Amino acid sequence: MEGLFQMFQKKIKVYNFITLFVFASIQTLANDLFEGQSGEIISIPAAVQENSDVLTFKTSTGTKQLISLPFVQKDLMITRHHVNVKVNWVNFGESRITIADVSKVNLSKKDKDRANKEAIEIRMALSNSTKEITPSFDFVPPVPGIVTSPFGKQRFVNDLPRSAHLALDLRGSIGTPIIAPLKGKVVLVGDYFYTGLTLILDHGYGLFSSYAHMSEIKVKLGDLVEQSNTIGLVGATGRVTGPHLHWTVYFDGNKVNPESLIQEGYLRSIL
Ligand SMILES: [Zn+2]
């Protein structure tokens, strides 16, 4: 009987040791302070307790994982994936647009219901990312046009403050081909109140991109598209002031700055 009790005690000791070890590993990470800019992706040491579903990268300084930082209105300390991060506010400026069609600003009950339903549809499409594609993060611009509205600009529609512009607007005339910036799977196609003809690509492991205001969609739901394949044409559908591509990138649950992603050697720069 005593032998059994001692064995039991020994087991508890072993478990305590493991618990302590895991706890200590998490603590070590939590004590390190990371820093990054509003709406950017940064790398952190891959946490021991993360499951294998997390995309990791081997570097000379150890195995890393990527995390996204939210858009912030002021410097903010946050905890994400067991690390503390100081997210630095960035002044992205502001833009004021006038939408003459007041019914697209002050929504009727019918339009409000439609927009809410569509927002849920979009959230659903973003809720589950494939593990069949491993994103290379080696983006090419979806259209050759210049940036007409950067990520993070505070918007005022008819002088009323609206949510910040968490996407990139690229110039393009109606009919300009839009190409897939990265290999992806089509997880949403539709005609939406705000974003008009819209398409979402799932690039795997929580990386998504969306294309709004298109004049035509060239792919179907479920299609697998290779990098540089044409997915649609620039248009002016939905709530717009003129033709352009409104390009949104989501990673790790946040909208991130697409302009950073198309920089040469992007992945290397953040690892
Ligand atoms: Zn836009």
Side-chain angles (χ1 to χ4, degrees):
M1 201 56 200
E2 204 183 65
L4 201 71
F5 180 69
Q6 273 168 351
M7 239 172 71
F8 184 61
Q9 268 202 323
K10 249 188 209 167
K11 263 202 173 155
I12 285 182
K13 268 188 189 158
V14 171
Y15 283 129
N16 271 343
F17 180 72
I18 293 170
T19 311
L20 247 167
F21 178 74
V22 171
F23 189 68
S25 316
I26 296 170
Q27 279 293 103
T28 312
L29 284 177
N31 288 337
D32 284 334
L33 179 66
F34 294 85
E35 198 173 349
Q37 286 189 349
S38 179
E40 296 293 338
I41 298 173
I42 63 164
S43 66
I44 60 166
V48 286
Q49 74 282 9
E50 291 277 9
N51 57 46
S52 57
D53 281 355
V54 174
L55 185 62
T56 57
F57 301 86
K58 295 229 183 308
T59 76
S60 57
T61 53
T63 307
K64 304 268 184 81
Q65 74 178 83
L66 303 179
I67 66 167
S68 67
L69 305 183
F71 169 80
V72 295
Q73 308 273 14
K74 58 178 176 27
D75 291 357
L76 202 67
M77 283 291 307
I78 60 164
T79 303
R80 265 179 83 72
H81 301 275
H82 313 293
V83 296
N84 295 325
V85 191
K86 181 173 175 254
V87 187
N88 294 319
W89 172 78
V90 180
N91 184 2
F92 293 110
E94 61 174 53
S95 76
R96 290 172 184 273
I97 60 166
T98 305
I99 293 173
D101 183 357
V102 184
S103 75
K104 293 221 162 182
V105 183
N106 305 317
L107 272 54
S108 67
K109 162 114 177 64
K110 190 169 151 266
D111 286 341
K112 227 181 250 173
D113 288 347
R114 179 185 163 190
N116 287 342
K117 199 175 133 262
E118 291 172 354
I120 293 167
E121 244 178 78
I122 292 166
R123 227 176 300 142
M124 288 292 288
L126 298 169
S127 66
N128 210 337
S129 185
T130 183
K131 301 283 183 312
E132 282 156 32
I133 308 168
T134 303
S136 66
F137 285 88
D138 196 8
F139 280 82
V140 293
V143 290
I146 61 156
V147 174
T148 51
S149 186
F151 173 92
K153 255 194 179 181
Q154 178 58 52
R155 283 177 311 178
F156 294 83
V157 177
N158 298 354
D159 280 333
L160 294 169
R162 293 289 159 133
S163 51
H165 182 247
L166 300 185
L168 193 67
D169 285 351
L170 295 164
R171 180 171 290 167
S173 49
I174 291 181
T176 303
I178 301 165
I179 61 169
L182 212 59
K183 183 180 180 171
K185 191 180 168 193
V186 181
V187 291
L188 178 138
V189 285
D191 188 359
Y192 295 97
F193 178 79
Y194 286 114
T195 55
L197 286 185
T198 305
L199 162 70
I200 297 182
L201 293 177
D202 179 1
H203 305 291
Y205 290 86
L207 179 67
F208 295 90
S209 59
S210 109
Y211 305 81
H213 312 307
M214 299 162 104
S215 59
E216 208 179 315
I217 292 174
K218 297 279 195 186
V219 288
K220 296 187 308 297
L221 194 66
D223 280 359
L224 193 68
V225 292
E226 294 298 326
Q227 184 175 45
S228 297
N229 278 9
T230 299
I231 53 175
L233 307 177
V234 170
T237 55
R239 197 178 77 172
V240 284
T241 48
H244 70 278
L245 172 63
H246 177 87
W247 181 32
T248 314
V249 178
Y250 305 81
F251 179 64
D252 179 34
N254 285 311
K255 288 178 180 171
V256 294
N257 190 349
E259 208 169 351
S260 304
L261 301 169
I262 47 177
Q263 303 303 316
E264 187 85 19
Y266 171 71
L267 184 61
R268 229 179 316 119
S269 75
I270 58 165
L271 281 177

